[in-house]
Every structure is written in C-alpha cells, then in structure tokens.
Amino acid sequence: NPVVLPDAQEDAAYSTTLKPFAKDDDPGDEAQLRFVKISGAPAWITVSSDGTVTGKPGKNEAGRVFTFDARVLDPSNADAVTTVQVTVKKTNHPPRWRQNPVPMADAFEDLTYKFNVATYAEDPDGDTLKFKKIDGPAWLFVGEAGDATGTPQKPDLGTFEFTLEVT
C-alpha cells in the first residue's frame, strides 16, 4: 500500500489497469473481479469495473501526486480496499517561432551587423531558448542567446537568407 501506477503526462490521454495488483485465491474468481473508485480521486481519473484507470490530466495537474482509494470485489462481493497513487509529469512543449520568416534589419558592407532573433521565438513552458544557425552566409554568426552578428564584405552584398533552429 499504496499501489503506484505508471506516471501520467499532462495534457495526454492516460490509461493503465489495476488488475495486476488484485489477487483472489478462490478458483475462477480472479477473472470476475470488479473495481470501484471509492474516494479521493481527482475528477480527471476514472476507474471502470474491469480495473482500467483512464483520464487526461490538465496542465494544472503537472508535478502533482494524486491518491485515491479503490475497492476490488469478487463474485460473492468479498472486497479489499487499497490506496492508489499516480504522478502527473510535466510535458515539455517545444518552442515556436512567433513569426516566420523573421524580418531582419539590413546589413551594410564593412559595418558590424547586430540583430537579436530571440524576440521572435517563445517557449510555452518558459524554458530558456537556445539558437543555432543551420545554414546561411558565412559572415553571419548566431549565438545561443539569439544574437546574430558579423561583418559582411563586398562579396557578401545582396539579399541573404539563413535558417535557424530554436530549442
């Protein structure tokens, strides 16, 4: 006690079973066990009569441990009660670009170019963003914080594009 179920993920369908935790020594009874949630379960958890535990925890449940009491009954209504525990893990949502393509400031020959792309990306979980240049002009460097810097030379004149990754 308690029965510890596999972790659930926030904003994701959850399904597991209580069956492996229930035993009945009477011949044939184990196949006919019935399960009932009796107290303590949050609204997102349901227990069906076959022991299946289902639900979909929301964002507000992330990082919390939930307990509830469940009863198992055999065909003659002999019963046992146990406490069941499930932990809801936070789902890491990927960052996203607020705008694509990102409108960059113009660069000028032999002048240091500086532009920060970080304001054009966001992470719904508030995680720190890291930027990386995937391709683009050789003169342009992009730091992890999103600072795009470099000094274009005469051969670099013209329109340029580059691809960034944000994690």
Side-chain angles (χ1 to χ4, degrees), residues 47 109 133 137:
V47 178
E109 176 185 354
K133 183 175 94 172

Side-chain angles (χ1 to χ4, degrees), residues 11-12 14 19 32 70 74 77 83 114 126 128 132 136 139 158 161:
D11 293 331
Y14 180 75
K19 278 185 181 182
Q32 300 178 53
D74 70 9
N77 288 328
T83 299
K114 292 182 182 180
T128 300
K132 176 181 170 184
W139 65 265
E161 291 184 5

Side-chain angles (χ1 to χ4, degrees), residues 78-99:
D79 72 337
V81 174
T82 190
T83 299
V84 180
Q85 176 181 305
V86 61
T87 300
V88 177
K89 297 291 186 181
K90 179 182 179 224
T91 299
N92 185 26
H93 300 90
R96 69 176 191 86
W97 291 101
R98 292 182 185 165
Q99 188 171 341

Side-chain angles (χ1 to χ4, degrees), residues 11-100:
D11 293 331
Y14 180 75
S15 182
T16 191
T17 183
L18 292 170
K19 278 185 181 182
F21 302 100
K23 303 290 179 216
D24 192 311
D25 293 332
D26 295 332
D29 280 3
E30 203 160 304
Q32 300 178 53
L33 296 177
R34 293 173 291 128
F35 297 82
V36 179
K37 174 180 75 173
I38 56 176
S39 69
W44 66 268
I45 292 178
T46 60
V47 178
S48 66
S49 62
D50 70 356
T52 302
V53 179
T54 59
K56 184 176 179 184
K59 191 173 187 172
N60 293 338
E61 281 84 31
R64 296 174 56 192
V65 177
F66 294 92
T67 59
F68 61 93
D69 292 328
R71 174 175 283 131
V72 60
L73 300 106
D74 70 9
S76 60
N77 288 328
D79 72 337
V81 174
T82 190
T83 299
V84 180
Q85 176 181 305
V86 61
T87 300
V88 177
K89 297 291 186 181
K90 179 182 179 224
T91 299
N92 185 26
H93 300 90
R96 69 176 191 86
W97 291 101
R98 292 182 185 165
Q99 188 171 341
N100 189 6

